[in-house]
Amino acid sequence: MKNKQDLSRRDFIRNSVMAGGAVLLSGVLPSHAQTPIFSAAENSDSPEADELLRGVSDIHLHAAPDSKARLGNELEFARAARDAGYKSMLFKSNDFSCHDRAYLIRQELQGFEVFGSLCMNRVHGDKVNVFAAEKAVTTTGNLCRCIWMPTQDAVYQNIRYYGKKEGVPVVDDNGRVLSEVVRVMEICAEANIIFATGHSSPEESITLARKAREVGVRKCVVTHANSGIWKMTHDQIKRCIDLGAWMEYSYITNLWGPGNGTARFRADE
């Protein structure tokens, strides 16, 4: 079994797309492990480009620079994805904007489509920040293509993980979508970009999907609806689909544990 540092660029990029980049990269790398995981870039038209990956668009990928250790940086990942035959990729950071960096990466990788996004975590304030969303969609290059509701600072996650009702809320005590969240939905609708539910609870995600449809959002995505504390029932998934939402699935939960591609990672990490 190869360890994390021994993974080739080709092996990792294959595993990454099968696993769902964001979950694979989120919180699983020791802070001291900083060795680059990719070899030198190859030509995307070479035989090395994998037909399985050709045309793939990854819309949920965490990479450095970030406030926690990641397996590689955004430029490395973008170059590797291009060489593997990807069509495009969208980066995500729980704490920082990355659509501005996507603009710079595109200058380096001419012709490859790289996008960024924005997460409404506490770094932007104690509630969903409408002003941050407005600025994100007007940043040079028009490359912010997704605004996520709170992830690491979601109230639901804090309750389930720590037993504390704190964080950045998306609904009030009566389960109604907060006005600032509705305004961000409107911004996403106006810009025709993705509104993603983040680490909201399954029932909150259904509520958000319903409101997003009312507001006119055309690209509502329910975030990793098949993993961890966000795992939805068949009925909950059907309700979201009936509301016009897209379901984001992660394959990583099938790759954890002994005998699998990420044997050293625990399922609760």
Side-chain angles (χ1 to χ4, degrees):
M1 178 64 65
K2 296 178 180 180
N3 64 32
K4 288 188 280 284
Q5 278 69 45
D6 292 335
L7 283 175
S8 72
R9 191 273 306 160
R10 180 177 165 81
D11 289 340
F12 183 82
I13 207 73
R14 282 179 60 89
N15 290 342
S16 178
V17 69
M18 295 294 288
V23 181
L24 179 60
L25 299 179
S26 180
V28 294
L29 184 67
S31 59
H32 63 273
Q34 298 294 335
T35 305
I37 63 170
F38 300 130
S39 59
E42 301 163 358
N43 190 304
S44 60
D45 294 325
S46 76
E48 292 299 310
D50 195 320
E51 288 302 320
L52 176 66
L53 305 179
R54 195 178 299 280
V56 163
S57 294
D58 190 335
I59 65 168
H60 189 150
L61 183 66
H62 293 272
D66 206 347
S67 53
K68 65 193 301 184
R70 299 296 183 187
L71 289 177
N73 67 54
E74 291 171 350
L75 180 58
E76 288 175 333
F77 271 102
R79 183 179 288 116
R82 178 201 62 183
D83 294 345
Y86 275 47
K87 176 183 178 181
S88 63
M89 61 196 325
L90 183 148
F91 287 107
K92 175 183 181 183
S93 170
N94 288 313
D95 292 324
F96 306 110
S97 64
C98 46
H99 48 280
D100 46 358
R101 296 196 297 269
Y103 177 83
L104 296 176
I105 293 171
R106 278 174 173 249
Q107 312 309 304
E108 176 69 17
L109 305 179
Q110 293 287 330
F112 184 64
E113 295 186 333
V114 181
F115 303 98
S117 59
L118 187 71
C119 283
M120 288 296 176
N121 285 315
R122 208 165 347 192
V123 69
H124 299 298
D126 293 330
K127 66 179 186 177
V128 168
N129 191 322
V130 172
F131 185 72
E134 291 173 342
K135 290 302 179 183
V137 299
T138 58
T139 301
T140 304
N142 188 31
L143 298 178
C144 180
R145 297 301 175 87
C146 178
I147 296 181
W148 315 76
M149 288 301 97
T151 53
Q152 301 302 313
D153 291 317
V155 173
Y156 173 67
Q157 179 167 310
N158 276 309
I159 292 173
R160 290 295 303 271
Y161 282 1
Y162 310 113
K164 299 178 180 179
K165 188 178 180 180
E166 59 182 30
V168 180
V170 293
V171 298
D172 64 20
D173 290 338
N174 295 313
R176 292 176 298 212
V177 180
L178 294 169
S179 60
E180 59 268 23
V181 176
V182 175
R183 179 57 192 139
V184 170
M185 289 179 178
E186 292 172 344
I187 291 169
C188 290
E190 292 161 4
N192 194 23
I193 65 173
I194 298 169
F195 173 88
T197 60
H199 290 187
S200 303
S201 73
E203 285 301 320
E204 285 174 337
S205 293
I206 294 170
T207 299
L208 291 170
R210 181 179 298 108
K211 178 59 70 173
R213 184 178 68 168
E214 293 175 6
V215 167
V217 173
R218 296 182 290 283
K219 300 172 183 175
C220 176
V221 172
V222 177
T223 310
H224 45 65
N226 69 320
S227 56
I229 61 174
W230 305 279
K231 187 173 183 179
M232 286 184 157
T233 65
H234 176 80
D235 179 65
Q236 288 172 327
I237 291 170
K238 185 177 185 303
R239 288 162 66 187
C240 288
I241 292 172
D242 289 345
L243 290 168
W246 294 80
M247 309 306 296
E248 180 193 274
Y249 290 96
S250 170
Y251 196 74
I252 185 64
T253 53
N254 296 293
L255 297 178
W256 270 314
N260 286 299
T262 49
R264 298 177 62 184
F265 301 158
R266 298 203 323 265
D268 60 349
E269 287 184 312

